[in-house]
Coordinates of all heavy atoms in Angstrom, one line a residue:
M1 N 0.9 -1.2 0.0 CA 0.0 0.0 0.1 C 0.9 1.2 0.0 O 1.9 1.3 0.6 CB -0.9 0.0 1.2 CG -2.1 -0.8 1.1 SD -3.4 -0.3 2.4 CE -2.7 -0.9 3.9
S2 N 0.4 2.2 -0.6 CA 1.2 3.5 -0.7 C 1.0 4.2 0.7 O 0.2 3.8 1.6 CB 0.6 4.5 -1.7 OG -0.7 4.9 -1.3
D3 N 1.9 5.1 1.0 CA 1.8 5.8 2.3 C 0.5 6.5 2.6 O 0.0 6.4 3.6 CB 2.9 6.9 2.4 CG 4.3 6.4 2.4 OD1 4.4 5.1 2.7 OD2 5.3 7.1 2.3
I4 N -0.1 7.2 1.5 CA -1.4 7.8 1.8 C -2.6 6.8 2.0 O -3.4 7.0 2.9 CB -1.7 8.8 0.6 CG1 -0.8 10.0 0.6 CG2 -3.2 9.3 0.7 CD1 -1.0 11.0 -0.5
V5 N -2.5 5.7 1.2 CA -3.5 4.7 1.5 C -3.4 4.0 2.9 O -4.4 3.8 3.6 CB -3.5 3.6 0.3 CG1 -4.4 2.5 0.7 CG2 -3.9 4.2 -1.0
T6 N -2.1 3.9 3.2 CA -1.8 3.4 4.7 C -2.4 4.3 5.7 O -3.0 3.9 6.7 CB -0.3 3.2 4.9 OG1 0.2 2.2 3.8 CG2 0.0 2.6 6.3
A7 N -2.1 5.7 5.4 CA -2.6 6.6 6.4 C -4.1 6.7 6.5 O -4.7 6.7 7.6 CB -2.1 8.1 6.0
I8 N -4.8 6.5 5.4 CA -6.3 6.5 5.3 C -6.8 5.3 6.1 O -7.7 5.3 6.9 CB -6.8 6.5 3.9 CG1 -6.6 7.9 3.2 CG2 -8.3 6.1 3.8 CD1 -6.8 7.9 1.7
S9 N -6.2 4.1 5.8 CA -6.5 2.9 6.4 C -6.3 3.0 8.0 O -7.2 2.6 8.7 CB -5.6 1.7 5.9 OG -5.8 0.6 6.7
L10 N -5.2 3.6 8.4 CA -5.0 3.7 9.9 C -6.0 4.7 10.5 O -6.5 4.5 11.6 CB -3.6 4.3 10.1 CG -2.5 3.2 9.8 CD1 -1.1 3.9 9.9 CD2 -2.5 2.0 10.8
L11 N -6.4 5.8 9.8 CA -7.4 6.7 10.3 C -8.8 6.0 10.6 O -9.4 6.2 11.6 CB -7.7 7.8 9.4 CG -6.7 9.0 9.4 CD1 -7.0 10.0 8.2 CD2 -6.9 9.7 10.8
I12 N -9.1 5.2 9.6 CA -10.4 4.4 9.6 C -10.3 3.5 10.8 O -11.2 3.3 11.7 CB -10.8 3.8 8.4 CG1 -11.1 4.8 7.3 CG2 -12.0 2.8 8.5 CD1 -11.1 4.2 5.9
K13 N -9.2 2.7 10.9 CA -9.0 1.7 11.9 C -9.0 2.4 13.3 O -9.7 1.9 14.3 CB -7.7 1.0 11.7 CG -7.6 -0.3 12.5 CD -6.2 -0.9 12.3 CE -6.0 -1.6 11.0 NZ -4.6 -2.3 10.7
S14 N -8.4 3.5 13.4 CA -8.3 4.2 14.7 C -9.7 4.7 15.2 O -10.1 4.7 16.3 CB -7.4 5.5 14.7 OG -6.0 4.9 14.5
F15 N -10.4 5.3 14.2 CA -11.8 5.8 14.5 C -12.7 4.6 14.9 O -13.4 4.7 15.9 CB -12.4 6.5 13.2 CG -13.8 6.9 13.4 CD1 -14.1 8.2 13.9 CD2 -14.9 6.2 13.1 CE1 -15.4 8.7 14.1 CE2 -16.2 6.5 13.3 CZ -16.4 7.8 13.8
N16 N -12.6 3.6 14.2 CA -13.5 2.4 14.6 C -13.2 1.8 16.0 O -14.1 1.3 16.6 CB -13.4 1.2 13.5 CG -14.0 1.7 12.2 OD1 -14.8 2.6 12.2 ND2 -13.7 1.0 11.1
K17 N -11.9 1.8 16.3 CA -11.4 1.3 17.6 C -12.2 1.9 18.7 O -12.6 1.3 19.7 CB -9.9 1.5 17.7 CG -9.3 0.9 19.0 CD -7.8 1.0 18.8 CE -7.2 1.8 20.0 NZ -5.7 2.1 19.8
Y18 N -12.4 3.3 18.6 CA -13.0 4.0 19.7 C -14.6 4.0 19.5 O -15.3 4.0 20.5 CB -12.5 5.4 19.8 CG -11.1 5.5 20.2 CD1 -10.0 5.4 19.3 CD2 -10.7 5.3 21.6 CE1 -8.7 5.3 19.8 CE2 -9.4 5.3 22.0 CZ -8.4 5.3 21.1 OH -7.1 5.2 21.5
A19 N -15.1 4.1 18.2 CA -16.5 4.1 18.0 C -17.2 2.8 18.4 O -18.3 2.8 18.8 CB -16.7 4.3 16.5
C20 N -16.5 1.7 18.4 CA -17.1 0.4 18.7 C -17.1 0.2 20.3 O -17.8 -0.8 20.7 CB -16.2 -0.8 18.1 SG -16.3 -0.9 16.4
K21 N -16.6 1.1 21.1 CA -16.6 0.9 22.5 C -18.0 0.8 23.1 O -18.4 0.0 23.9 CB -15.7 1.9 23.2 CG -14.2 1.7 22.9 CD -13.4 2.6 23.8 CE -11.9 2.4 23.6 NZ -11.4 1.1 24.1
E22 N -18.8 1.7 22.8 CA -20.2 1.9 23.4 C -21.2 2.3 22.2 O -20.9 2.9 21.3 CB -20.2 3.1 24.4 CG -19.3 2.9 25.6 CD -19.3 4.1 26.4 OE1 -19.8 5.1 26.1 OE2 -18.8 4.0 27.6
G23 N -22.4 1.8 22.5 CA -23.6 2.4 21.6 C -23.3 2.0 20.2 O -22.8 1.0 19.7
N24 N -23.6 3.1 19.3 CA -23.5 2.9 17.9 C -22.1 2.7 17.5 O -21.2 3.5 17.8 CB -24.1 4.2 17.2 CG -24.2 4.1 15.7 OD1 -23.4 3.4 15.1 ND2 -25.1 4.9 15.1
P25 N -21.7 1.6 16.8 CA -20.3 1.3 16.4 C -19.8 2.2 15.3 O -18.7 2.1 15.0 CB -20.4 -0.2 16.1 CG -21.8 -0.4 15.6 CD -22.7 0.6 16.4
C26 N -20.7 3.0 14.8 CA -20.2 3.9 13.6 C -20.0 5.3 13.9 O -19.6 6.1 13.1 CB -21.3 3.8 12.4 SG -21.5 2.1 11.8
T27 N -20.3 5.6 15.3 CA -20.1 7.0 15.7 C -19.4 7.1 17.1 O -19.4 6.1 17.8 CB -21.4 7.8 15.8 OG1 -22.2 7.1 16.7 CG2 -22.1 7.8 14.5
L28 N -18.9 8.3 17.3 CA -18.2 8.5 18.7 C -19.2 9.3 19.5 O -19.8 10.3 19.1 CB -17.0 9.3 18.5 CG -15.8 8.8 17.6 CD1 -14.8 9.9 17.3 CD2 -15.2 7.6 18.2
N29 N -19.4 8.8 20.7 CA -20.1 9.6 21.8 C -19.0 10.4 22.5 O -17.8 10.3 22.2 CB -21.0 8.7 22.7 CG -20.1 7.9 23.6 OD1 -18.9 8.0 23.8 ND2 -20.7 6.7 24.1
K30 N -19.4 11.2 23.4 CA -18.5 12.2 23.9 C -17.4 11.5 24.7 O -16.2 11.8 24.6 CB -19.1 13.1 24.9 CG -18.4 14.3 25.2 CD -19.1 15.4 26.1 CE -20.3 16.0 25.5 NZ -20.9 17.0 26.4
G31 N -17.7 10.4 25.4 CA -16.6 9.6 26.1 C -15.7 8.9 25.2 O -14.5 8.9 25.4
E32 N -16.2 8.4 24.1 CA -15.3 7.7 23.0 C -14.3 8.8 22.5 O -13.2 8.6 22.2 CB -16.1 7.1 22.0 CG -16.9 5.8 22.5 CD -18.0 5.4 21.6 OE1 -18.5 6.2 20.8 OE2 -18.3 4.2 21.6
L33 N -15.0 10.0 22.2 CA -14.1 11.0 21.5 C -13.0 11.5 22.5 O -11.9 11.7 22.1 CB -15.0 12.4 21.2 CG -14.3 13.4 20.7 CD1 -13.7 13.2 19.2 CD2 -15.1 14.8 20.6
K34 N -13.4 11.6 23.8 CA -12.4 12.0 24.8 C -11.2 11.0 24.8 O -10.1 11.4 24.8 CB -13.1 12.1 26.2 CG -12.1 12.5 27.3 CD -12.8 12.5 28.7 CE -11.8 13.0 29.7 NZ -12.3 13.0 31.0
L35 N -11.5 9.7 24.8 CA -10.5 8.7 24.8 C -9.6 8.8 23.6 O -8.4 8.7 23.6 CB -11.1 7.3 24.9 CG -11.7 6.8 26.2 CD1 -12.3 5.4 26.1 CD2 -10.4 6.8 27.3
L36 N -10.3 8.9 22.4 CA -9.5 9.1 21.1 C -8.6 10.3 21.2 O -7.4 10.2 20.8 CB -10.6 9.2 20.0 CG -9.9 9.2 18.6 CD1 -10.9 8.6 17.5 CD2 -9.5 10.5 18.1
L37 N -9.2 11.4 21.6 CA -8.3 12.6 21.7 C -7.1 12.5 22.6 O -6.0 12.8 22.3 CB -9.2 13.9 22.1 CG -10.3 14.3 21.1 CD1 -11.1 15.5 21.7 CD2 -9.7 14.7 19.8
Q38 N -7.4 11.9 23.8 CA -6.3 11.7 24.7 C -5.4 10.7 24.3 O -4.1 10.9 24.4 CB -6.9 11.3 26.1 CG -7.7 12.3 26.8 CD -8.3 11.9 28.1 OE1 -8.7 10.8 28.3 NE2 -8.6 12.9 29.0
N39 N -5.8 9.6 23.8 CA -4.8 8.5 23.4 C -4.1 8.7 22.1 O -3.0 8.3 21.9 CB -5.5 7.2 23.4 CG -6.0 6.8 24.8 OD1 -5.6 7.2 25.8 ND2 -7.0 5.8 24.8
E40 N -4.9 9.3 21.1 CA -4.3 9.4 19.8 C -3.8 10.8 19.4 O -2.9 10.8 18.5 CB -5.3 8.9 18.8 CG -6.0 7.6 19.0 CD -5.0 6.4 19.0 OE1 -4.0 6.5 18.2 OE2 -5.4 5.4 19.5
L41 N -4.3 11.8 20.0 CA -4.0 13.2 19.7 C -3.5 14.0 20.8 O -3.6 15.3 20.8 CB -5.2 13.9 18.9 CG -5.6 13.2 17.6 CD1 -7.0 13.7 17.2 CD2 -4.5 13.6 16.6
G42 N -3.2 13.3 21.9 CA -2.8 14.1 23.1 C -1.6 15.0 22.9 O -1.6 16.1 23.5
E43 N -0.7 14.7 22.0 CA 0.5 15.5 21.8 C 0.0 16.8 21.0 O 0.6 17.9 21.2 CB 1.5 14.8 20.8 CG 2.0 13.6 21.4 CD 2.5 12.6 20.3 OE1 3.3 12.9 19.5 OE2 1.9 11.5 20.2
L44 N -1.1 16.8 20.3 CA -1.5 18.0 19.5 C -2.6 18.8 20.3 O -2.7 19.9 20.2 CB -2.0 17.5 18.2 CG -1.0 16.9 17.2 CD1 -1.7 16.6 15.9 CD2 0.0 18.0 16.8
L45 N -3.5 18.0 21.1 CA -4.6 18.6 21.6 C -4.6 18.3 23.1 O -5.4 17.5 23.6 CB -5.9 18.0 21.0 CG -6.2 18.4 19.7 CD1 -7.6 17.6 19.2 CD2 -6.6 19.9 19.6
Q46 N -3.9 19.0 23.9 CA -4.0 18.8 25.4 C -5.2 19.2 26.0 O -5.6 18.8 27.1 CB -2.8 19.6 26.0 CG -1.5 18.9 25.9 CD -0.5 19.8 24.9 OE1 -0.8 20.9 24.6 NE2 0.5 19.1 24.5
K47 N -6.1 20.0 25.2 CA -7.3 20.5 25.8 C -8.4 19.4 26.1 O -9.3 19.7 26.7 CB -7.9 21.5 24.7 CG -7.1 22.7 24.5 CD -7.7 23.5 23.3 CE -7.1 24.8 23.2 NZ -7.7 25.7 22.1
A48 N -8.1 18.3 25.6 CA -9.1 17.2 25.8 C -9.2 16.8 27.2 O -10.2 16.0 27.6 CB -8.7 16.0 25.0
N49 N -8.3 17.1 28.1 CA -8.4 16.8 29.5 C -9.3 17.7 30.2 O -9.8 17.4 31.3 CB -7.0 16.8 30.1 CG -6.1 15.8 29.7 OD1 -6.6 14.6 29.5 ND2 -4.9 16.0 29.4
N50 N -9.7 18.9 29.6 CA -10.5 20.0 30.3 C -11.9 19.7 29.8 O -12.2 19.7 28.6 CB -10.0 21.3 29.9 CG -10.9 22.4 30.4 OD1 -12.1 22.4 30.2 ND2 -10.3 23.4 30.9
K51 N -12.8 19.5 30.8 CA -14.3 19.1 30.4 C -14.9 20.2 29.5 O -15.6 19.8 28.5 CB -15.1 18.9 31.7 CG -16.5 18.3 31.3 CD -17.4 18.2 32.5 CE -18.8 17.7 32.1 NZ -19.4 18.4 31.0
D52 N -14.7 21.5 29.8 CA -15.3 22.5 29.0 C -14.8 22.5 27.6 O -15.5 22.7 26.7 CB -15.2 23.9 29.7 CG -16.0 24.0 30.9 OD1 -16.9 23.3 31.1 OD2 -15.6 24.9 31.8
E53 N -13.5 22.3 27.5 CA -12.8 22.2 26.1 C -13.4 21.1 25.4 O -13.6 21.1 24.2 CB -11.3 22.3 26.3 CG -10.7 23.4 26.9 CD -10.6 24.6 25.9 OE1 -11.0 24.5 24.8 OE2 -10.2 25.7 26.4
L54 N -13.5 20.0 26.1 CA -14.0 18.7 25.4 C -15.4 19.0 24.9 O -15.7 18.6 23.7 CB -14.0 17.6 26.4 CG -14.6 16.3 25.8 CD1 -13.7 15.7 24.7 CD2 -14.7 15.2 26.8
D55 N -16.2 19.6 25.7 CA -17.6 19.9 25.3 C -17.6 20.8 24.1 O -18.4 20.5 23.1 CB -18.4 20.7 26.4 CG -18.7 19.7 27.6 OD1 -18.7 18.5 27.4 OD2 -19.2 20.2 28.7
T56 N -16.7 21.8 24.1 CA -16.7 22.7 22.9 C -16.2 21.9 21.7 O -16.7 22.0 20.6 CB -15.6 23.8 23.2 OG1 -16.1 24.5 24.4 CG2 -15.6 24.8 22.0
I57 N -15.2 21.1 21.9 CA -14.7 20.3 20.7 C -15.8 19.4 20.1 O -16.0 19.3 18.9 CB -13.4 19.5 21.0 CG1 -12.2 20.4 21.4 CG2 -13.0 18.5 20.0 CD1 -11.0 19.7 22.0
F58 N -16.5 18.7 21.0 CA -17.5 17.8 20.7 C -18.7 18.5 19.9 O -19.1 18.1 18.8 CB -18.1 17.1 21.9 CG -19.1 16.0 21.6 CD1 -18.6 14.7 21.3 CD2 -20.5 16.2 21.7 CE1 -19.6 13.7 21.0 CE2 -21.4 15.2 21.3 CZ -20.9 14.0 21.0
Q59 N -19.1 19.7 20.5 CA -20.1 20.4 19.8 C -19.7 21.0 18.4 O -20.5 21.0 17.5 CB -20.6 21.6 20.7 CG -21.5 21.0 21.9 CD -21.6 22.0 23.0 OE1 -21.4 23.2 22.9 NE2 -22.0 21.5 24.2
D60 N -18.5 21.4 18.4 CA -18.0 22.0 17.1 C -17.9 20.8 16.0 O -18.2 21.0 14.9 CB -16.6 22.6 17.2 CG -16.6 23.9 18.0 OD1 -17.8 24.4 18.2 OD2 -15.6 24.4 18.4
L61 N -17.5 19.6 16.5 CA -17.4 18.5 15.5 C -18.8 18.0 15.1 O -18.9 17.6 13.9 CB -16.6 17.4 16.1 CG -15.1 17.6 16.3 CD1 -14.4 16.4 16.9 CD2 -14.5 17.9 15.0
D62 N -19.7 17.9 16.0 CA -21.1 17.4 15.7 C -21.9 18.4 14.9 O -22.9 19.0 15.5 CB -21.7 17.1 17.1 CG -23.1 16.5 16.9 OD1 -23.3 15.9 15.8 OD2 -23.8 16.5 17.9
T63 N -21.6 18.6 13.7 CA -22.2 19.6 12.9 C -23.7 19.3 12.6 O -24.5 20.3 12.5 CB -21.5 19.9 11.6 OG1 -21.3 18.6 10.9 CG2 -20.1 20.4 11.8
N64 N -24.1 18.1 12.6 CA -25.5 17.8 12.4 C -26.3 17.7 13.6 O -27.5 17.4 13.6 CB -25.8 16.6 11.4 CG -25.3 15.3 12.2 OD1 -24.8 15.2 13.3 ND2 -25.5 14.1 11.5
K65 N -25.6 17.9 14.8 CA -26.3 18.0 16.1 C -27.1 16.8 16.5 O -28.2 16.9 17.0 CB -27.2 19.3 16.2 CG -26.4 20.6 15.9 CD -25.3 20.7 16.9 CE -24.5 21.9 16.6 NZ -23.1 21.9 17.2
D66 N -26.5 15.6 16.2 CA -27.2 14.4 16.6 C -26.6 13.8 17.8 O -26.8 12.6 18.1 CB -27.4 13.4 15.4 CG -25.9 12.9 15.1 OD1 -24.9 13.4 15.5 OD2 -25.9 11.9 14.3
N67 N -25.7 14.5 18.5 CA -25.0 14.2 19.8 C -24.1 13.0 19.6 O -23.9 12.2 20.5 CB -26.2 13.9 20.9 CG -25.6 14.2 22.3 OD1 -24.8 15.1 22.4 ND2 -26.0 13.4 23.3
S68 N -23.6 12.9 18.4 CA -22.5 11.9 18.1 C -21.6 12.4 17.0 O -22.1 13.3 16.2 CB -23.1 10.5 17.8 OG -23.8 10.6 16.6
V69 N -20.4 11.9 17.0 CA -19.4 12.4 15.9 C -19.3 11.2 15.0 O -18.7 10.2 15.3 CB -18.1 12.8 16.6 CG1 -17.1 13.1 15.5 CG2 -18.3 14.1 17.4
D70 N -19.7 11.4 13.7 CA -19.5 10.3 12.7 C -18.2 10.4 11.9 O -17.4 11.4 12.3 CB -20.6 10.2 11.7 CG -20.9 11.5 10.9 OD1 -19.9 12.1 10.7 OD2 -22.1 11.7 10.5
F71 N -17.9 9.6 11.0 CA -16.5 9.6 10.4 C -16.3 10.9 9.6 O -15.2 11.4 9.6 CB -16.3 8.3 9.6 CG -14.9 8.2 9.2 CD1 -13.9 7.8 10.1 CD2 -14.4 8.6 8.0 CE1 -12.5 7.8 9.8 CE2 -13.1 8.5 7.6 CZ -12.1 8.1 8.5
T72 N -17.3 11.3 9.0 CA -17.3 12.6 8.2 C -17.0 13.8 9.1 O -16.0 14.6 8.8 CB -18.6 12.8 7.5 OG1 -18.9 11.7 6.6 CG2 -18.5 14.1 6.6
E73 N -17.6 13.8 10.3 CA -17.4 14.9 11.2 C -15.9 14.8 11.8 O -15.2 15.8 11.9 CB -18.5 14.9 12.3 CG -19.8 15.3 11.7 CD -21.0 15.0 12.7 OE1 -20.8 14.0 13.6 OE2 -22.0 15.6 12.6
F74 N -15.6 13.6 12.1 CA -14.2 13.3 12.6 C -13.2 13.7 11.5 O -12.2 14.2 11.8 CB -14.1 11.9 13.0 CG -12.7 11.5 13.4 CD1 -12.1 11.9 14.6 CD2 -12.0 10.7 12.6 CE1 -10.8 11.5 14.9 CE2 -10.7 10.3 12.9 CZ -10.1 10.7 14.0
G75 N -13.4 13.5 10.2 CA -12.6 13.7 9.2 C -12.2 15.2 9.1 O -11.0 15.6 8.7
R76 N -13.2 16.1 9.4 CA -12.8 17.6 9.4 C -11.8 17.9 10.4 O -10.9 18.7 10.1 CB -14.1 18.4 9.8 CG -15.2 18.3 8.6 CD -16.3 19.2 8.7 NE -17.4 18.8 7.8 CZ -18.5 18.3 8.2 NH1 -18.7 18.0 9.4 NH2 -19.4 17.9 7.3
L77 N -11.8 17.2 11.6 CA -10.8 17.5 12.7 C -9.5 17.1 12.1 O -8.5 17.7 12.3 CB -11.2 16.7 13.9 CG -10.1 16.8 15.0 CD1 -10.0 18.1 15.5 CD2 -10.4 15.8 16.2
V78 N -9.5 15.8 11.5 CA -8.2 15.3 11.0 C -7.6 16.2 9.9 O -6.4 16.6 9.9 CB -8.4 13.9 10.4 CG1 -7.1 13.4 9.8 CG2 -8.8 12.9 11.5
L79 N -8.5 16.7 9.0 CA -8.0 17.6 8.0 C -7.5 18.9 8.6 O -6.4 19.4 8.1 CB -9.2 17.9 7.0 CG -8.9 18.8 5.9 CD1 -7.7 18.3 5.0 CD2 -10.0 19.2 5.0
C80 N -8.2 19.5 9.5 CA -7.7 20.7 10.1 C -6.4 20.5 10.8 O -5.5 21.4 10.7 CB -8.7 21.3 11.2 SG -10.2 21.9 10.5
L81 N -6.3 19.5 11.5 CA -5.0 19.1 12.2 C -3.9 18.9 11.3 O -2.7 19.4 11.4 CB -5.1 17.9 13.2 CG -6.0 18.2 14.4 CD1 -6.2 16.9 15.2 CD2 -5.3 19.2 15.4
T82 N -4.2 18.3 10.1 CA -3.2 18.0 9.1 C -2.7 19.3 8.4 O -1.5 19.5 8.3 CB -3.8 17.1 8.0 OG1 -4.3 15.9 8.7 CG2 -2.7 16.7 7.0
V83 N -3.6 20.2 8.2 CA -3.3 21.5 7.6 C -2.5 22.3 8.5 O -1.4 22.9 8.2 CB -4.5 22.3 7.2 CG1 -4.2 23.7 6.8 CG2 -5.3 21.6 6.0
M84 N -2.8 22.3 9.8 CA -2.1 23.1 10.8 C -0.6 22.5 11.0 O 0.3 23.3 11.0 CB -2.8 22.9 12.2 CG -3.9 23.9 12.4 SD -4.9 23.5 13.9 CE -3.6 23.4 15.1
C85 N -0.5 21.2 11.0 CA 0.8 20.5 11.1 C 1.7 20.9 9.9 O 2.9 21.2 9.9 CB 0.7 19.0 11.2 SG 0.1 18.5 12.8
H86 N 1.0 20.9 8.7 CA 1.7 21.2 7.4 C 2.2 22.6 7.4 O 3.3 22.9 7.1 CB 0.7 21.0 6.2 CG 1.3 21.2 4.9 ND1 0.9 22.2 4.1 CD2 2.4 20.6 4.2 CE1 1.7 22.2 3.0 NE2 2.5 21.2 3.1
E87 N 1.4 23.6 7.9 CA 1.8 25.0 8.0 C 2.9 25.1 9.0 O 3.9 25.8 8.8 CB 0.6 25.8 8.4 CG -0.4 26.1 7.3 CD -1.6 26.8 7.8 OE1 -1.7 27.3 8.9 OE2 -2.6 27.0 6.9
Y88 N 2.9 24.4 10.1 CA 3.9 24.4 11.1 C 5.3 24.1 10.5 O 6.2 24.7 10.7 CB 3.5 23.5 12.3 CG 4.6 23.4 13.4 CD1 4.7 24.3 14.4 CD2 5.4 22.3 13.5 CE1 5.8 24.2 15.3 CE2 6.4 22.1 14.4 CZ 6.5 23.1 15.4 OH 7.4 22.9 16.3
F89 N 5.3 22.9 9.7 CA 6.5 22.4 9.3 C 7.0 23.3 8.1 O 8.2 23.5 8.0 CB 6.4 21.0 8.8 CG 6.3 20.0 9.9 CD1 5.2 19.3 10.0 CD2 7.3 19.9 10.8 CE1 5.0 18.3 11.1 CE2 7.2 19.0 11.9 CZ 6.1 18.2 12.0
I90 N 6.1 24.0 7.4 CA 6.6 25.0 6.3 C 7.2 26.1 7.0 O 8.3 26.6 6.6 CB 5.3 25.4 5.5 CG1 5.0 24.3 4.5 CG2 5.7 26.7 4.7 CD1 3.7 24.7 3.7
N91 N 6.6 26.6 8.1 CA 7.2 27.8 8.8 C 8.4 27.5 9.5 O 9.2 28.4 9.8 CB 6.1 28.3 9.8 CG 4.9 29.0 9.1 OD1 5.1 29.4 7.9 ND2 3.8 29.0 9.7
K92 N 8.7 26.2 9.8 CA 10.0 25.9 10.5 C 11.2 25.8 9.6 O 12.3 25.8 10.0 CB 9.8 24.5 11.2 CG 9.2 24.6 12.6 CD 9.4 23.3 13.4 CE 10.6 23.6 14.3 NZ 10.8 22.4 15.2
K93 N 10.8 25.7 8.2 CA 12.0 25.6 7.3 C 12.8 26.8 7.3 O 12.4 28.0 7.4 CB 11.4 25.4 5.8 CG 11.0 23.9 5.7 CD 10.6 23.6 4.2 CE 10.1 22.2 4.1 NZ 9.5 22.0 2.8
Ligands
CA101 CA1 -23.0 14.1 14.4

């Protein structure tokens, strides 16, 4: 597999690992999102430890307001973080 296909596969696998923990196996509830943010994105998003910040992140991601974060909504976070990291590395050159 190419690097990008590998990255896509790992993103899906990581999302599913947390989405399957409780309730609907295709979406993240707030507890699942918190675990994913802490375990997988802790280096980038320390805010996930703060309840108010977690509430804000969850509400911002849950754009259709069904009280869960599906893969499309999660994908927006990944894209934003990827763009931020890309800008960071460009500015470091
Ligand atoms: Ca949603």
Side-chain angles (χ1 to χ4, degrees):
M1 277 199 288
S2 72
D3 288 350
I4 291 179
V5 173
T6 300
I8 291 169
S9 166
L10 288 172
L11 275 174
I12 294 169
K13 199 185 283 183
S14 297
F15 178 88
N16 288 343
K17 184 169 121 186
Y18 293 91
C20 286
K21 286 187 181 292
E22 299 174 348
N24 186 335
C26 298
T27 62
L28 299 168
N29 63 25
K30 200 179 289 180
E32 292 167 333
L33 178 69
K34 180 180 179 182
L35 282 177
L36 184 154
L37 294 178
Q38 287 176 336
N39 295 342
E40 309 293 338
L41 293 167
E43 298 153 64
L44 295 175
L45 285 176
Q46 282 109 16
K47 294 174 172 180
N49 290 321
N50 175 311
K51 191 189 174 306
D52 290 341
E53 294 284 0
L54 176 69
D55 286 347
T56 302
I57 293 169
F58 187 83
Q59 283 162 19
D60 287 351
L61 290 178
D62 182 19
T63 51
N64 68 356
K65 303 298 173 202
D66 67 350
N67 209 32
S68 64
V69 172
D70 61 25
F71 191 77
T72 302
E73 293 165 333
F74 173 70
R76 290 191 194 103
L77 172 68
V78 173
L79 179 60
C80 287
L81 291 172
T82 305
V83 170
M84 280 170 49
C85 289
H86 183 246
E87 286 173 3
Y88 174 80
F89 287 118
I90 283 177
N91 291 333
K92 276 198 98 175
K93 281 184 183 172

